[in-house]
């Protein structure tokens, strides 16, 4: 006789992070992060550059649609995008951040790898820092995060790195380096969220391997964030244009949850809230 069905993902973490009154109980559900790009050149075509009212409306809509937190960024991370100075990044981000802070009660993450931008954003009302270079780009970033006590989303970025032949091995090695920097600066490990960096320096097959192999990262015993929304890998596999990648995003988000994702970073919040509820019911178990 076949034993009773068990959830696909085991309980591999415990603990709760609290930010602006929001409880992130790891393992209980998948949390949804809504992306707000205040850029003129977002790869996904959703940048609100200079239009603060539009950014606020988007934040309010995301909150209504069920987002658990917001991520605001002023520099495009698409391949080939030029870097911004911290001053220009602040000029783009701060007006929208201040207005969104007044308009919503959701925790806000500032998407930046510049310590100066993170410092100003935290003073303006941001609650956490999302560093796509995992503390390895700006040597001051770790100290800024440590002093603030804010949660850190630390991503492994494969750009400018030599591939060893093992996708998850490279991610683990990169994140070990990030954790060493964090520990040296005094960042509380309980405040760290780990993003393996889907789409950052990887080929399509490598991105797909990352999704298939996420359980190998459970050994870090840290919450996982995955940002697969509308990425070029989905376009390569499905042939869909950026604005037609919702089904592919839904499939990738579901696989991320099955692999242990605790947070999914998405553009289409309303649809992905439904996807996470269904995926959670399968993966984590469901009770009426």
């Amino acid at each position: 006789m076949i034993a009773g069905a068990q959830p696909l993902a085991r309980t591999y973490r415990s603990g709760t992070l609290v930010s602006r009154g929001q409880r992130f109980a790891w393992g209980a559900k998948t949390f949804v992060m809504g992306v707000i790009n205040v850029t003129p050149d977002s790869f996904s075509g959703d940048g609100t550059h200079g239009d603060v009212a539009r950014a606020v409306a988007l934040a309010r809509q995301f909150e209504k649609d069920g987002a658990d937190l917001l991520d605001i960024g002023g520099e495009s991370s698409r391949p080939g995008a030029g870097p911004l100075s911290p001053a220009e990044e602040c000029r783009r981000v701060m007006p929208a951040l201040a207005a969104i802070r007044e308009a919503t009660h959701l925790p806000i993450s500032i998407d930046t790898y510049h310590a100066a931008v993170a410092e100003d954003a935290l003073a303006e009302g941001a609650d956490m820092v999302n560093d796509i270079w995992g503390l390895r780009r700006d040597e001051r970033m770790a100290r800024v995060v440590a002093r603030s006590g804010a949660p850190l989303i630390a991503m492994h970025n494969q750009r400018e790195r030599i591939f060893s032949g093992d996708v998850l091995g490279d991610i683990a090695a990169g994140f070990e380096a990030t954790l060493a920097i964090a520990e040296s600066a005094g960042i509380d490990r309980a405040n760290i969220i780990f993003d393996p960096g889907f789409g950052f320096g990887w080929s399509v097959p490598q991105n797909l391997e990352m999704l298939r192999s996420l359980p190998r990262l459970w050994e870090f015993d840290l919450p996982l964030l995955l940002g697969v929304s509308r990425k070029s890998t989905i376009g390569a596999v499905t042939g869909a244009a950026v604005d037609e990648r919702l089904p592919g995003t839904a499939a990738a988000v579901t696989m991320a949850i099955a692999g242990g994702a605790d947070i999914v970073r998405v553009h289409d919040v309303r649809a992905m809230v439904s996807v996470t509820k269904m995926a959670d019911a399968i993966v984590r178990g469901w009770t009426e």
Side-chain angles (χ1 to χ4, degrees):
M1 180 179 293
I2 298 175
Q6 298 295 318
L8 297 177
R10 64 184 176 89
T11 301
Y12 57 99
R13 280 183 297 278
S14 60
T16 300
L17 185 151
V18 179
S19 181
R20 198 163 290 272
Q22 167 76 292
R23 294 182 72 255
F24 296 89
W26 308 125
K29 60 167 283 187
T30 304
F31 297 92
V32 175
M33 169 185 273
V35 179
I36 300 178
N37 289 313
V38 292
T39 60
D41 56 349
S42 168
F43 85 91
S44 60
D46 64 338
T48 64
H49 180 50
D51 191 340
V52 172
R54 183 181 168 199
V56 168
L58 188 59
R60 285 176 169 156
Q61 186 63 51
F62 282 173
E63 185 169 28
K64 180 180 178 181
D65 290 342
D68 299 292
L69 66 165
L70 304 173
D71 190 45
I72 301 176
E75 178 176 317
S76 175
S77 58
R78 63 180 174 80
L84 288 182
S85 68
E88 174 61 18
E89 192 175 343
C90 282
R91 188 187 69 78
R92 288 184 181 182
V93 167
M94 296 309 157
L97 172 59
I100 290 170
R101 179 70 288 153
E102 288 190 11
T104 178
H105 298 293
L106 292 178
I108 296 174
S109 165
I110 179 65
D111 181 355
T112 185
Y113 56 85
H114 288 126
V117 177
E119 199 164 30
D120 287 355
L122 291 167
E124 196 65 61
D127 302 289
M128 58 186 75
V129 175
N130 181 6
D131 183 352
I132 66 168
W133 286 97
L135 305 177
R136 291 181 286 142
R137 199 67 163 187
D138 186 332
E139 64 179 13
R140 289 188 56 242
M141 181 65 90
R143 295 195 297 275
V144 167
V145 173
R147 282 199 306 269
S148 71
L152 169 70
I153 301 165
M155 195 186 83
H156 169 75
N157 196 326
Q158 188 68 12
R159 293 174 182 171
E160 303 177 11
R161 296 172 68 88
I162 298 173
F163 180 45
S164 72
D166 180 357
V167 172
L168 271 292
D170 280 1
I171 293 170
F175 198 58
E176 289 284 6
T178 289
L179 286 176
I181 296 169
E183 182 179 0
S184 178
I187 297 173
D188 186 348
R189 188 183 175 102
N191 278 348
I192 299 175
I193 298 163
F194 177 19
D195 179 352
F198 185 95
F200 283 80
W202 301 108
S203 67
V204 171
Q206 290 164 349
N207 279 318
L208 299 177
E209 181 181 344
M210 181 193 302
L211 281 183
R212 284 194 299 270
S213 307
L214 285 177
R216 283 181 56 189
L217 299 176
W218 294 2
E219 64 188 55
F220 285 105
D221 196 31
L222 289 170
L224 293 176
L225 181 149
L226 268 291
V228 299
S229 181
R230 301 184 185 176
K231 292 285 179 74
S232 60
T233 289
I234 296 171
V237 171
T238 66
V242 170
D243 60 353
E244 297 176 343
R245 294 177 186 170
L246 184 60
T249 294
V253 163
T254 299
M255 292 305 298
I257 294 170
D262 296 281
I263 303 174
V264 289
R265 183 180 182 274
V266 301
H267 302 85
D268 304 288
V269 168
R270 184 177 180 183
M272 291 306 115
V273 166
S274 291
V275 168
T276 59
K277 286 180 179 177
M278 190 66 221
D280 277 348
I282 299 168
V283 171
R284 304 179 192 275
W286 181 71
T287 56
E288 295 186 57

